[in-house]
Amino acid sequence: MKLLFSILISVLSIGVSVAQNDSLPDQFNSPYEVIVNHLNYLQEDNYNPAQAAKSLRQGDLSQDELEKLAIELKQIFDGSGNYIYLDDVPKSPDYYDSTSFKKRYVLFNEFPEIYVQKEADGWFYAGKSVQDIDLIHKTVYPFGTDRLLNLLPKLGSKKYLGLHMWQLIGGLIIISVAFILHLILTLLLRVVIFRLLHKYGKVDLANNLILPVAKPFSLLIVFAFVSVLIPTLQLPIAISKYLILGVGALLPFFGTLFCYKMVDVLGAYMKKVAERTQNTLDDQLVPLVRKILKTFVILVGIMAILDGLKFDIWPLITGLSIGGLAVALAAQDTLKNFFGSVMIFVDRPFQIGDWITSDDVDGTVEEVGFRSTRIRTFRDSLMYVPNSVISNRTVDNHGKRQYRRYFTKLAITYDTPTDLIEVFVKGVEKIVLNHPDTRKDSYNIFLNDYGASSLDVMLYIFFKVPTWNEELRCRQEIMLSVNRLAEKLGVRFAFPTQTLMVEQFPGKLSLTPNYNQSKEEMNKEMEAFIAKNENSDGKEHKR
């Protein structure tokens, strides 16, 4: 009797099941019905892949292929951490997408290829979406990790803390492998590379640059490994959503931190290169480039982290571009100074340490920044000149001189004999030629002018020295040598004087010369003097 009763119950159950299957829908009147049918019949307590596959446009695919694709589509949603809020799914049979101008509904911006579309016989996942499911599935589960989806669930079916045993074991394996991988990578970077750099004497590079980069790089690799394996656990969407978002944000975070530290390594290399060049402006350019690169890395990193958290960053970028235009209009002077600094680094009109003169600016360049150039004046004060101003001015760069000119007049007394003047001028010329830092191919030393109280000897020479201090030293050496020569020869230097002359005293001859010669006699004396000088000059040239 009990056996008959059991058989009867079984028959009734089969009948109810068949009746339920016969009552399941084959057509769907809205995007909501399509998506609910697909997700509802792939739940653990209501697993019916055949019914879930009805949400897909069949095309030329077999029933087994459709069921496989329906399961893969659900795995795409779970593995990417995309949660479908059913209340937001349109329920209207005539839903119209204003973006594509078609009767379709795109589920996620991350996967625009996956959408439901109204056909002649109802709403379905579009044939194009069905064709792309396998390809998208491989992107969500790369490197063959999709095979684990068929292996791990076979390890157990009991649930603990809401998770299957195979999910708990898989999570434990991922954590253990990630920890071991972190230790191995850290060991390689901190021991092998560290010792290698120590061997070649790069101790500072190892301590200050390589060690800070090791940990972010190791964590970057570890979280990249974790991000690949977490989707294979097929955790409940309420858990996987936030876990995948967290890993998706930490991955670009450690990538940004790694790139930020690598900028310091690049900066150290650029500094070494700049030290090999003679242009000191390169030394100032290195920290500026380092700041620009770090700022760029931070901005890109923030965008990548927001993208990892599945924020729609395009409105933010659009807002920044519009806001950037407003800021640019409000900060024209700042932008002018920035581009002025760019032109200074490109044209290189001066470099650090150069003495420059530009209008009321006169001093030594100490630093070129984004906004201004810092100049140390000879009063030891600091002038901050906006780059937009100094880049548009005429700059006299004294530091670019190959030679430094020295011009003065040697004033000697009028009572100095002519022959002595000639010997003195030749002596000064020899002093200049014998000095090690004077230019030997260009100088002028001549009796040049009759001054108010002196005969003026022009001293026009050049020094081949790099700095102003060296120029002052050379001036002093030349001047002291000229003074010693004058003392040796008995040449007296004149100073402004006035002589009071009384024309005539009673009983005294007048001081006014007596010009009793005729013009013809004067011409004869002049001709004789010129002829005598020509003969003496000819002899001098022959010598």
Side-chain angles (χ1 to χ4, degrees):
M1 190 70 180
K2 291 182 178 180
L3 179 61
L4 292 175
F5 183 75
S6 300
I7 295 173
L8 180 61
I9 293 297
S10 300
V11 171
L12 289 175
S13 299
I14 294 172
V16 171
S17 177
V18 172
Q20 288 179 346
N21 287 333
D22 290 341
S23 64
L24 295 177
D26 293 331
Q27 296 181 350
F28 310 98
N29 298 321
S30 68
Y32 178 83
E33 293 182 7
V34 177
I35 297 171
V36 167
N37 178 78
H38 172 241
L39 298 178
N40 185 44
Y41 288 100
L42 289 179
Q43 303 301 317
E44 292 184 11
D45 56 349
N46 193 27
Y47 194 72
N48 189 348
Q51 178 60 30
K54 292 181 180 180
S55 294
L56 278 62
R57 171 57 69 184
Q58 183 172 3
D60 298 331
L61 300 174
S62 65
Q63 182 63 28
D64 292 339
E65 290 175 332
L66 281 176
E67 292 181 12
K68 175 177 174 292
L69 292 175
I71 295 172
E72 287 186 355
L73 183 58
K74 172 68 163 51
Q75 291 173 347
I76 290 173
F77 297 156
D78 294 340
S80 60
N82 286 298
Y83 185 81
I84 299 177
Y85 295 92
L86 293 177
D87 292 339
D88 297 335
V89 179
K91 300 178 181 179
S92 172
D94 298 321
Y95 174 78
Y96 183 80
D97 184 12
S98 59
T99 303
S100 61
F101 304 104
K102 294 181 180 180
K103 291 184 177 181
R104 66 170 55 168
Y105 174 70
V106 179
L107 277 74
F108 304 106
N109 293 330
E110 184 179 354
F111 302 113
E113 307 92 344
I114 300 177
Y115 56 88
V116 294
Q117 184 169 284
K118 187 173 184 180
E119 307 289 347
D121 51 347
W123 285 82
F124 298 92
Y125 281 100
K128 179 66 170 58
S129 299
V130 175
Q131 294 175 2
D132 292 339
I133 287 176
D134 194 50
L135 180 62
I136 298 173
H137 190 266
K138 291 184 182 299
T139 62
V140 177
Y141 302 92
F143 310 112
T145 54
D146 55 329
R147 299 175 185 175
L148 296 175
L149 299 175
N150 298 323
L151 296 177
L152 292 177
K154 296 178 182 179
L155 297 176
S157 60
K158 293 183 179 181
K159 281 191 174 183
Y160 300 90
L161 301 176
L163 298 176
H164 290 287
M165 179 60 71
W166 66 267
Q167 291 173 327
L168 294 172
I169 295 175
L172 182 61
I173 292 174
I174 292 175
I175 293 174
S176 301
V177 174
F179 181 73
I180 295 173
L181 181 62
H182 175 61
L183 291 179
I184 293 174
L185 290 174
T186 304
L187 184 67
L188 287 175
L189 290 173
R190 290 196 174 188
V191 177
V192 178
I193 299 179
F194 186 79
R195 288 181 179 177
L196 184 64
L197 291 174
H198 266 266
K199 181 179 178 181
Y200 290 97
K202 305 294 184 180
V203 180
D204 294 337
L205 179 64
N207 292 331
N208 301 328
L209 298 176
I210 299 302
L211 289 182
V213 171
K215 191 172 183 179
F217 176 75
S218 175
L219 291 173
L220 174 64
I221 300 300
V222 167
F223 276 93
F225 168 78
V226 171
S227 67
V228 171
L229 292 183
I230 279 183
T232 62
L233 296 178
Q234 291 293 286
L235 299 172
I237 189 64
I239 299 176
S240 65
K241 174 186 176 182
Y242 296 104
L243 186 59
I244 292 174
L245 285 178
V247 174
L250 287 174
L251 186 61
F253 171 76
F254 288 114
T256 302
L257 190 59
F258 169 71
C259 294
Y260 188 87
K261 298 293 184 181
M262 284 300 297
V263 171
D264 291 329
V265 177
L266 179 62
Y269 172 75
M270 292 190 297
K271 185 178 180 180
K272 292 290 184 182
V273 174
E275 289 175 352
R276 299 172 189 168
T277 62
Q278 296 181 352
N279 193 342
T280 56
L281 198 60
D282 294 342
D283 302 332
Q284 188 67 34
L285 182 61
V286 169
L288 292 180
V289 172
R290 186 189 294 120
K291 291 178 183 178
I292 293 174
L293 290 178
K294 285 187 174 181
T295 303
F296 176 76
V297 167
I298 291 174
L299 292 177
V300 174
I302 292 174
M303 293 296 179
I305 292 172
L306 292 176
D307 186 60
L309 292 172
K310 297 188 184 300
F311 278 98
D312 190 3
I313 62 175
W314 289 110
L316 178 62
I317 294 175
T318 304
L320 288 176
S321 62
I322 297 174
L325 178 61
V327 171
L329 293 175
Q332 294 185 34
D333 292 339
T334 302
L335 290 176
K336 287 180 181 178
N337 291 328
F338 172 75
F339 286 109
S341 65
V342 173
M343 295 307 300
I344 290 174
F345 284 113
V346 172
D347 292 341
R348 298 182 178 181
F350 48 78
Q351 60 183 1
I352 307 302
D354 281 352
W355 168 26
I356 65 170
T357 303
S358 178
D359 292 345
D360 55 342
V361 178
D362 187 17
T364 304
V365 179
E366 284 196 349
E367 182 182 353
V368 179
F370 281 125
R371 180 188 173 276
S372 62
T373 296
R374 189 172 69 187
I375 298 175
R376 177 77 62 177
T377 67
F378 295 106
R379 303 183 303 275
D380 201 36
S381 62
L382 279 176
M383 294 185 68
Y384 292 86
V385 185
N387 290 329
S388 60
V389 174
I390 198 168
S391 61
N392 291 322
R393 283 183 178 177
T394 300
V395 177
D396 186 3
N397 190 343
H398 306 285
K400 293 293 184 181
R401 295 178 297 177
Q402 292 183 345
Y403 302 98
R404 294 173 179 262
R405 187 188 69 169
Y406 176 45
F407 170 70
T408 188
K409 292 180 180 180
L410 304 177
I412 60 179
T413 58
Y414 268 99
D415 59 1
T416 305
T418 304
D419 292 338
L420 183 56
I421 295 175
E422 187 175 2
V423 172
F424 177 70
V425 171
K426 288 183 179 180
V428 174
E429 181 179 356
K430 289 183 178 181
I431 289 174
V432 172
L433 292 175
N434 292 334
H435 193 278
D437 296 321
T438 55
R439 186 177 179 181
K440 307 301 188 293
D441 59 344
S442 179
Y443 60 88
N444 292 289
I445 305 170
F446 298 104
L447 179 63
N448 183 59
D449 196 9
Y450 293 101
S453 57
S454 64
L455 297 172
D456 296 333
V457 176
M458 180 178 68
L459 179 61
Y460 187 86
I461 59 177
F462 294 90
F463 298 116
K464 191 175 183 179
V465 290
T467 63
W468 190 46
N469 287 335
E470 292 293 314
E471 178 185 352
L472 294 178
R473 176 185 61 80
C474 292
R475 285 189 182 189
Q476 175 177 288
E477 293 172 354
I478 292 292
M479 293 173 68
L480 290 177
S481 297
V482 170
N483 284 358
R484 293 189 185 100
L485 177 65
E487 291 174 359
K488 186 69 175 179
L489 297 178
V491 174
R492 295 184 302 151
F493 291 109
F495 48 88
T497 58
Q498 289 183 346
T499 302
L500 180 63
M501 297 182 63
V502 180
E503 285 290 334
Q504 189 172 2
F505 281 101
K508 299 289 184 179
L509 295 176
S510 174
L511 295 177
T512 303
N514 186 12
Y515 301 105
N516 294 323
Q517 293 177 312
S518 64
K519 185 176 181 180
E520 289 77 9
E521 292 174 340
M522 292 180 183
N523 281 328
K524 288 180 180 180
E525 289 188 3
M526 182 270 294
E527 293 293 343
F529 176 78
I530 296 298
K532 182 179 179 181
N533 283 345
E534 286 180 353
N535 292 333
S536 61
D537 290 343
K539 292 179 181 180
E540 289 292 332
H541 287 301
K542 287 180 181 180
R543 290 177 186 176

